[in-house]
Amino acid sequence: MKELNVGLVGYKFMGKAHSHAYKDVSMFFDVPMQPVMKAICGRDEAGVKEAARKFGWESYETSWQNLVNRSDIDLIDITAPSNAHKDIAIAAAQAGKHVFCEKPLALTLADARKILAAVEKSGVKHMIGFNYRRAPAIQLIKKLIDEEKLGKIYHFRGFYLQDWIIDPDFPLVWRLQKEVAGSGSLGDLGAHLIDMARYLVGEFDEVMGMNETFVKERPMVSEMTGLSGKAADNSPKVPVNVDDATIFLGSFKNGALGVIEATRFAAGHRNGMWFEINGSKGSVRFEFERMNELQYYSTEDEEGVQGFRTIQVTEPVHAYMQAWWPAGHVIGYEHTFIHEVYDLINAIASDKMPEPNFYDGVKCQQVLEAVDASVAERRWIKVDDI
């Protein structure tokens, strides 16, 4: 079997999720190319060396430039913070490597467009990590919409609710620094809902938003990993320059209406990504914390027995599920990354462009910046004007 040699940048939260995917994809799926975990990259040598050992990578690098320039690497996978995406992705494309990048694609729309131009010029394959598309229930929603089971779509309403920074003494981790993350809850959480809305409903036309930063200053961070962090004793407080919460209204080019809320200040919600779509013939509801279930309502059901039904999306007939366990034996968060890697490998092997790709990353970034412009100017903004 032909091999696909992978180099991964980043070894913490997302790096672990991607490593797990490369390690397990061929155990469950028949892949046309065998992913080989050649090298993992991180700035802290002790940390990345241990990650290489623990996750199963053959080697490690402390310089992404060295990783990109290695002749034994076919695919560069970027899970580093957002401010590193542009330079790594462009260099990888110029080196003739395929590129897989976590969202958001870049800090700004201008940078996202430069990344897209670079991969298009080089002709490499590119994919962006909107992993929630790979939940089997989402694939079922897409099927229902494509088969017109929901009819004409009228509404998309989505909420992404977390609470991990609700403590005002939680330190200023990188996700709360605009120069590193690009934005706060909007770019981190809202981006997933924007992509979901585009994937299932269509392109946005106009948006109008508002946001708030509830905690204006936080202690400087001394240690962080994933969604956790610690501050040193008596650490000075520094300004927070990203949004804690953003809400925006949107209209779609097909006439549907949307509302999206993203916050890290919803007490009791650990990872509450939820949305509902209403159409002329039915509705669907999805909640990621119950990702194996889909709520579906059809106006075509017999009168007297109409109502939302719960579909357990674990049968082999559903997308990806033929590779997993018997019906009712549920899958989890990490499986969405395995599905991403499976689809990416298939696309590379068949010389097709994977989806979602950097075009989708640019379109998402365009909506993000339109929302930011609306907040700043306190008016409706045409997305295509950004």
Side-chain angles (χ1 to χ4, degrees):
M1 182 184 294
K2 187 175 180 181
E3 294 180 340
L4 179 69
N5 294 331
V6 183
L8 175 67
V9 185
Y11 62 90
K12 295 189 177 179
F13 177 21
M14 281 295 104
K16 181 181 287 188
H18 285 228
S19 297
H20 173 265
Y22 292 117
K23 197 168 187 177
D24 275 12
V25 64
S26 59
M27 179 186 296
F28 294 94
F29 291 89
D30 293 327
V31 290
M33 303 175 73
Q34 177 63 40
V36 180
M37 299 166 68
K38 278 291 179 182
I40 188 170
C41 180
R43 289 173 294 182
D44 176 58
E45 184 168 10
V48 73
K49 182 178 180 180
E50 173 60 16
R53 182 200 65 79
K54 187 174 183 179
F55 300 165
W57 291 88
E58 292 182 7
S59 62
Y60 70 88
E61 299 280 356
T62 56
S63 162
W64 66 259
Q65 291 91 342
N66 289 346
L67 183 72
V68 165
N69 290 323
R70 281 178 52 160
S71 60
D72 62 343
I73 300 292
D74 304 311
L75 167 69
I76 295 294
D77 185 336
I78 306 167
T79 68
S82 305
N83 64 332
H85 291 184
K86 174 191 169 186
D87 290 344
I88 301 173
I90 291 176
Q94 291 173 343
K97 319 291 188 184
H98 304 302
V99 191
F100 181 21
C101 185
E102 268 301 323
K103 64 82 202 164
L105 184 56
L107 290 181
T108 66
L109 177 59
D111 283 352
R113 285 171 168 157
K114 289 177 183 177
I115 295 172
L116 178 60
V119 294
E120 289 181 335
K121 181 179 180 180
S122 69
V124 298
K125 302 297 184 285
H126 46 93
M127 185 176 187
I128 189 166
F130 286 116
N131 62 296
Y132 292 135
R133 286 197 190 194
R134 262 56 189 197
I138 300 299
Q139 294 298 307
L140 178 55
I141 293 173
K142 179 67 171 172
K143 184 173 184 287
L144 291 171
I145 291 173
D146 289 347
E147 293 177 352
E148 299 186 350
K149 294 293 179 64
L150 299 189
K152 179 177 173 58
I153 303 301
Y154 296 133
H155 293 285
F156 178 95
R157 64 184 62 84
F159 306 89
Y160 205 142
L161 314 176
Q162 293 182 345
D163 66 356
W164 59 282
I165 63 168
I166 201 166
D167 180 356
D169 292 323
F170 187 87
L172 193 78
V173 296
W174 71 264
R175 284 182 170 84
L176 306 182
Q177 300 174 47
K178 186 176 180 64
E179 60 274 16
V180 181
S183 67
S185 61
L186 177 62
D188 187 22
L189 308 181
H192 278 297
L193 288 171
I194 290 167
D195 179 71
M196 196 64 66
R198 288 188 57 251
Y199 181 52
L200 298 174
V201 178
E203 297 294 350
F204 284 88
D205 183 26
E206 290 184 289
V207 295
M208 182 175 68
M210 62 179 179
N211 66 18
E212 185 57 70
T213 302
F214 298 113
V215 176
K216 311 295 185 185
E217 293 183 328
R218 291 185 178 275
M220 290 183 64
V221 68
S222 60
E223 180 183 334
M224 57 181 164
T225 183
L227 299 184
S228 63
K230 294 181 180 179
D233 292 340
N234 301 316
S235 177
K237 290 192 174 183
V238 290
V240 178
N241 58 3
V242 299
D243 57 297
D244 286 333
T246 295
I247 302 172
F248 72 90
L249 303 177
S251 63
F252 294 86
K253 291 185 177 181
N254 60 11
L257 301 179
V259 57
I260 288 177
E261 176 182 359
T263 181
R264 293 161 170 163
F265 274 71
H269 292 274
R270 301 298 188 249
N271 195 44
M273 198 273 277
W274 177 98
F275 67 85
E276 179 170 302
I277 299 173
N278 308 120
S280 59
K281 295 167 64 176
S283 298
V284 289
R285 294 176 186 156
F286 174 79
E287 181 179 0
F288 184 71
E289 290 179 343
R290 304 183 67 136
M291 64 169 281
N292 291 276
E293 297 179 0
L294 177 65
Q295 300 291 317
Y296 171 51
Y297 173 86
S298 175
T299 62
E300 297 180 344
D301 286 345
E302 183 180 347
E303 187 177 358
V305 294
Q306 289 184 348
F308 275 95
R309 71 187 76 164
T310 300
I311 302 170
Q312 191 176 72
V313 192
T314 60
E315 303 283 346
V317 69
H318 297 124
Y320 307 110
M321 292 308 300
Q322 76 283 356
W324 296 108
W325 319 113
H329 294 66
V330 296
I331 62 171
Y333 174 70
E334 70 276 18
H335 296 84
T336 62
F337 294 93
I338 294 176
H339 299 162
E340 281 187 304
V341 166
Y342 171 64
D343 288 340
L344 175 59
I345 292 172
N346 274 293
I348 292 173
S350 60
D351 195 25
K352 295 180 179 178
M353 189 59 68
E355 292 182 359
N357 53 54
F358 290 0
Y359 171 80
D360 298 285
V362 167
K363 295 300 290 185
C364 180
Q365 196 74 44
Q366 190 177 28
V367 177
L368 292 174
E369 293 204 5
V371 172
D372 281 338
S374 172
V375 172
E377 299 176 25
R378 301 181 66 83
R379 65 181 180 90
W380 283 93
I381 297 289
K382 281 275 190 182
V383 173
D384 287 345
D385 289 344
I386 300 296

